[in-house]
Amino acid sequence: MLPTISPWGTIAYFHLNREYIAKVLCENRQRPELKCNGQCYLAKKLKQQEDNKDKETTNRVQNLPVLQLFTQAVVSFKFSTDNYYFLDNPLFFYQLAVYISPDSRLLRPPQV
């Protein structure tokens, strides 16, 4: 979850420290006509984080264990044609629960 939040942290840091970044860390601070205001620094940091994330993903993929699955060829199937039957009829029964209705005097609306 941290790699997905990391760019947002960088953007928040940029917005909180925009004046310092524009005066000290900006690559284009000598050329004010570009009106960069430190956005080059932000773009560079976001690109750096993206590259680091790509490297981590590549390392994870390269270090995954390889599972080799195989099956042997099945030459033939033999299906049994024997008929199965019950010697005695099975005893299945179902007993319904007895429903007792509540007293009908309790469920009548009041008489006005």
Side-chain angles (χ1 to χ4, degrees), residues 52-67:
N52 288 343
K53 190 166 68 169
D54 289 344
K55 287 178 186 177
E56 289 175 11
T57 304
T58 303
N59 289 340
R60 283 189 204 139
V61 170
Q62 288 177 351
N63 294 332
L64 281 176
V66 176
L67 297 175

Side-chain angles (χ1 to χ4, degrees), residues 78-98:
K78 181 179 179 186
F79 294 102
S80 175
T81 57
D82 296 338
N83 293 329
Y84 295 102
Y85 54 92
F86 292 109
L87 296 177
D88 294 332
N89 288 335
L91 298 173
F92 294 108
F93 64 92
Y94 179 74
Q95 183 177 4
L96 290 173
V98 178

Side-chain angles (χ1 to χ4, degrees), residues 1-7 45-61:
M1 188 167 133
L2 187 60
T4 56
I5 296 174
S6 173
K45 286 296 183 182
L46 290 175
K47 177 71 173 148
Q48 184 181 21
Q49 285 181 348
E50 187 69 28
D51 291 343
N52 288 343
K53 190 166 68 169
D54 289 344
K55 287 178 186 177
E56 289 175 11
T57 304
T58 303
N59 289 340
R60 283 189 204 139
V61 170

Side-chain angles (χ1 to χ4, degrees), residues 22 34 96 101:
L34 294 177
L96 290 173
S101 66

Side-chain angles (χ1 to χ4, degrees), residues 13-69:
Y13 174 79
F14 171 74
H15 285 289
L16 291 173
N17 299 309
R18 180 175 278 199
E19 291 179 23
Y20 172 75
I21 292 171
K23 290 178 183 175
V24 178
L25 301 175
C26 181
E27 295 174 359
N28 298 321
R29 65 181 174 270
Q30 306 300 332
R31 298 167 47 189
E33 68 273 4
L34 294 177
K35 296 181 183 178
C36 178
N37 296 328
Q39 291 180 359
C40 58
Y41 175 78
L42 176 63
K44 187 166 87 172
K45 286 296 183 182
L46 290 175
K47 177 71 173 148
Q48 184 181 21
Q49 285 181 348
E50 187 69 28
D51 291 343
N52 288 343
K53 190 166 68 169
D54 289 344
K55 287 178 186 177
E56 289 175 11
T57 304
T58 303
N59 289 340
R60 283 189 204 139
V61 170
Q62 288 177 351
N63 294 332
L64 281 176
V66 176
L67 297 175
Q68 295 182 355
L69 302 176

